[in-house]
Structures are given as C-alpha cells and as structure tokens.
Amino acid sequence: MTTPPKQVAKSGFWGRWAATPLYWRILLGMFIGIATGLLLGDRAGWLRIPSEIILQLLSALAPPLILIAVVHVLMTSDIPRSSVARLAGLLLLNTTVAIFIGLTVANVMQPGKRSPAAPVPAATEASAEQTAGQDVVDEPAANPFDQLLGSLPRSLLGPLGDRQNVIGVIIIAIAFGVALRDAKAAPITNITDLVEVAYRTLIVVLHWIIELVPIGVACIVAAVIGTEGFGAFVNLGAFVVAVLIALGLQAAWYLVRIHYFSWASPVQVLRGMRDALLMAFSTDSSTATMPVTYACLKEKVGVREKSASLGALVGANFNNDGTALYEAMAALFVAQMIGMDLTMVQQLTVVFTSILASVGAAGIPEAGIVTMTLVFTAVGLDVTKIPILLTVDWFLDRCRTTINVLGDVNVACLLDGKTKQSSEE
Ligand code: ASP
C-alpha cells in the first residue's frame, strides 16, 4: 500500500549511520544506555524525558495514521460481496484467538512479575489520569525547557485548537511542510490520490520519528539501569520468551486450521511461503512483503488467484494477528510490572482495543508500538512504560510481522477451500 520514503544517499558519519540497519542502531543505543546508566547511577533519571518525548510524538501520529490507513484500505480494496462475510469472520476469529493466546500465556507465565523488585513508579496514578485523554509530558510549564516540552504536539489537530500553543502548530507545520515537498508535484485527480498522499506523508513523518528510536532506547535504558538496576530487564527477558511462545502457539493454530480446512498441507505451505516469511522477518514490514506473499501463494502453494489476493492484499492491511497478540501481552506485562491487577472487564477492554489497534496498525516497522498507546490508554495503564519495550521491540516486531504474514497465508488457504484448483480454472 505504501512505498518506503525516498532514501537520500549521504556520505560521512550521518550517511553511514542512516545506512546502518535500525536494529544495529538500537542495539548500539542499548549498550550506550547500559554504560551511561552504570556511570551516572541515580543522576540518569532525567534521561527518561527524551524517550517520553519520542513516545509522545509517536502517539500523536497514531489516530491520523489509523484513520487514513483504514479509509485507504476500504476505498481501494476490491472485495467481492459474496466473500465479505466469510473473510470478516475468518479475520475476526484469528485475531480473537491470537489475543486469547497472548493473554493466557501472559497470565500463566506472569513475565512482569519475574523480578522481585518489580518497580511501582510514583508516576502511575498521574499517568492513569493523564491517559484519560491527555499525554506523556503534562506538568505545568515552569521554565523555558519545560515550556518547550509542553508545546510538543500531543495530537495532530490539538495545537490548532489551542491559542496558547503556537510552538506546537509551528512544529507540525515544519514537519508536514518538509514531508510534503516530495509530494508537491504528485497529481491529484481523485479522492484516492488525495488519501494516498496523506497516507504517504504521515508515513514519512513517522519514519523521521522512528529514526530517533535508538536515542530513545539509549536514554530509557540509561535511566532504568541508573535508577532501578537490571531488575526491569529480567522481566523483559521473560516477556520476550512469553511472546515467542505465544506467537509459536498462534502459528500452530494457523497450521492446524490449514490441515483440517483447506486442501493444502501445512508442510507444503511452509515450504512454499519460505521466501515471504523470511522477507517478513528481515524487512519487518508485512506491507513490503505483500507482493512476495501474493506471488508465493499463487505460484508456489498454488491457491486460486482470488484467494491469494484476498488473503495477501486485504489481509496485509487488516489482518495483523501477531500485532494484536503482542499489544495485549504488552498491556498485561506492564500491568504486572507495576503491580496493577487488570480486572476481567479491563482484560476484555484490552481484547477489544487490541483488535482495533491491530486493524489500524500499518504493515510497517514499529507500527504496533504506535497503536499500542491506544490500548494502554483504554485501560488507564502507564504509557510512559512503553519506551522500555522499545529495547526489545526491534526483535519482537520481526517475529510478529512473520506471524502477520502467516496469518494472511492462513486466510488465503482457508478461503481456497478443500479442493485444489483444477487445471481449467
Ligand atoms: N511491523 C508489523 C508489520 O509490518 C506491524 C507491527 O509493528 O506490529 O506487520
């Protein structure tokens, strides 16, 4: 649905930095963070602020991104009327199963309670209030630095309705003015073109913020190591294992369903989809993988063209089970870590918002983290804990992207039914 923003080749340090894969930069950020945290100790506490700012900017982009992404898919997908109900049913079932698997594993393994010193941050209550529609940096402006922080956009349209926040308006104007420079000559002949330009521009801005993630990781790791020690990371290790187990169970669900409800055999499907699954893992993007998913489904697995296009093209945009599972597990993990028991109703709210957040998540790297703020907000969880997840997200994102693609494959195979297409078809 989208092509990545144009890369301008640069030389020198920044050129090499930009050309280094994001996960290497994040890993470097992690090591720098550990060293800084050990060196500064308690004095590293203020380093939380940069990572919270990055999160604030990411979450400001979440609502418009979801809006435009969903509008775009609905406008452009060609779904035959007869398949709508079947497709919707399959997607909903898979996503619900994914979230229940995620919640069950998180409830059984309790990854957030691994460390004896699971920290209960003083900010938790304030954050619960703040998440009821406010945001991350919410103190009254005391000095120019705080004033600048307070002016950073908390939502895209918010500053436009706030006479006091001229800085926020200017930041948005600069970001979108520059992002739109590449699209200024794009011909707009119909509404689809308009939505396309809006979507691509949002993605360009999103990529700029994602470029800041390694810095955010260095800062949050330094702050956590400096003030709380390695305890939080023991939890994080358990969280990674729990997510991997849950994603494995989800993969098993797909393969069992393929075995019983389609003509294809799971082994044959895995073999045929090898290229797409590896590409999903390495690009971290189910959208970028979509053409390969489609080609493998049609040519290597041998499903009908209609099933391949519904599974790969529609699925790649709407069907993000790995993301849904991850968002629900992350919510439960953070709740466990801060000692907050989620009631049954809150867990159901997590289920519901994770479904919506996964539908709205674009198939690009880190999109799950952007929409995760919506899930946290819905149950009053401390969104300032999300930056800690950035330290492992570069890896877990690859794993959930692979499952997102396998989910599309599952839908295509099930839509194809129990009889293989004949040579006349
Ligand atoms: N990277 C994922 C995808 O492309 C989305 C996510 O961040 O969960 O499917």
Side-chain angles (χ1 to χ4, degrees), residues 200 249 335 356 418:
R200 292 201 49 174
L249 290 173
L356 296 182
K418 291 198 74 99

Side-chain angles (χ1 to χ4, degrees), residues 98 101-102 105-106 109 111 235-251 322-323 325-331 333 389 392-393 395-397 399-400 403:
I101 289 179
V105 173
M109 287 184 63
N235 286 334
L236 219 48
F239 176 63
V240 171
V241 174
V243 172
L244 292 180
I245 290 175
L247 289 175
L249 290 173
Q250 181 68 12
T323 304
L325 176 153
Y326 179 70
E327 306 218 340
M329 287 190 84
F333 168 69
L389 298 175
V392 288
D393 200 60
F395 173 65
L396 292 180
D397 191 7
C399 302
R400 66 180 185 256
I403 292 297

Side-chain angles (χ1 to χ4, degrees), residues 69-414:
V70 174
V71 167
H72 187 275
V73 179
L74 290 177
M75 278 175 73
T76 54
S77 309
D78 194 11
I79 312 176
R81 233 165 231 269
S82 54
S83 310
V84 171
R86 178 110 204 276
L87 183 63
L90 277 177
L91 298 186
L92 194 64
L93 176 68
N94 278 350
T95 310
T96 311
V97 167
I99 295 173
F100 276 106
I101 289 179
L103 289 180
T104 307
V105 173
N107 273 313
V108 172
M109 287 184 63
Q110 308 256 335
K113 292 190 177 157
R114 291 287 142 160
S115 153
V120 181
T124 306
E125 270 172 37
S127 301
E129 275 167 34
Q130 144 221 118
T131 49
Q134 305 301 308
D135 36 80
V136 182
V137 184
D138 215 11
E139 265 93 62
N143 59 41
F145 185 60
D146 284 347
Q147 215 158 24
L148 180 69
L149 290 188
S151 304
L152 288 174
R154 291 156 180 162
S155 68
L156 216 52
L157 298 182
L160 302 187
D162 179 3
R163 270 181 301 154
Q164 320 256 325
N165 193 357
V166 178
I167 298 179
V169 176
I170 292 176
I171 291 173
I172 293 174
I174 293 177
F176 283 88
V178 176
L180 274 167
R181 285 179 67 84
D182 269 350
K184 67 179 175 226
I188 297 191
T189 51
N190 51 37
I191 303 287
T192 312
D193 291 345
L194 191 68
V195 174
E196 184 81 34
V197 167
Y199 185 76
R200 292 201 49 174
T201 308
L202 280 170
I203 298 286
V204 168
V205 177
L206 177 64
H207 275 92
W208 289 341
I209 305 173
I210 288 177
E211 289 298 309
L212 300 176
V213 164
I215 300 173
V217 167
C219 291
I220 190 72
V221 170
V224 171
I225 298 270
T227 57
E228 296 165 17
F230 284 92
F233 292 97
V234 175
N235 286 334
L236 219 48
F239 176 63
V240 171
V241 174
V243 172
L244 292 180
I245 290 175
L247 289 175
L249 290 173
Q250 181 68 12
W253 157 262
Y254 291 145
L255 297 177
V256 168
R257 295 261 298 160
I258 288 176
H259 178 73
Y260 285 108
F261 298 101
S262 88
W263 59 263
S265 89
V267 176
Q268 184 191 352
V269 169
L270 284 180
R271 203 174 293 139
M273 294 309 301
R274 233 173 353 196
D275 291 349
L277 297 176
L278 278 176
M279 183 167 171
F281 188 83
S282 51
T283 60
D284 214 354
S285 164
S286 47
T287 298
T289 310
M290 187 168 69
V292 181
T293 310
Y294 178 70
C296 288
L297 273 168
K298 242 179 61 175
E299 288 151 27
K300 300 211 170 134
V301 180
V303 302
R304 291 169 182 82
E305 181 161 353
K306 187 175 131 211
S307 316
S309 59
L310 282 180
L313 309 186
V314 178
N317 288 304
F318 269 141
N319 189 29
N320 297 314
D321 302 336
T323 304
L325 176 153
Y326 179 70
E327 306 218 340
M329 287 190 84
L332 216 61
F333 168 69
V334 168
Q336 289 166 356
M337 221 165 71
I338 62 178
M340 172 177 165
D341 277 330
L342 291 186
T343 60
M344 211 50 214
V345 174
Q346 281 173 314
Q347 293 210 17
L348 283 176
T349 310
V350 169
V351 173
F352 184 64
T353 45
S354 297
I355 293 178
L356 296 182
S358 73
V359 169
I364 54 170
E366 310 291 347
I369 283 278
V370 179
T371 55
M372 189 183 286
T373 50
L374 305 182
V375 181
F376 276 49
T377 304
V379 285
L381 265 174
D382 183 0
V383 289
T384 64
K385 286 282 164 193
I386 294 181
I388 294 186
L389 298 175
L390 287 175
T391 53
V392 288
D393 200 60
W394 64 272
F395 173 65
L396 292 180
D397 191 7
R398 285 163 195 277
C399 302
R400 66 180 185 256
T401 305
T402 311
I403 292 297
N404 285 347
V405 170
L406 195 58
D408 302 338
V409 173
N410 166 273
V411 170
C413 290
L414 296 191

Side-chain angles (χ1 to χ4, degrees), residues 56-74:
Q56 180 172 327
L57 295 176
L58 281 177
S59 46
L61 279 183
L65 206 53
I66 292 177
L67 177 79
I68 300 289
V70 174
V71 167
H72 187 275
V73 179
L74 290 177

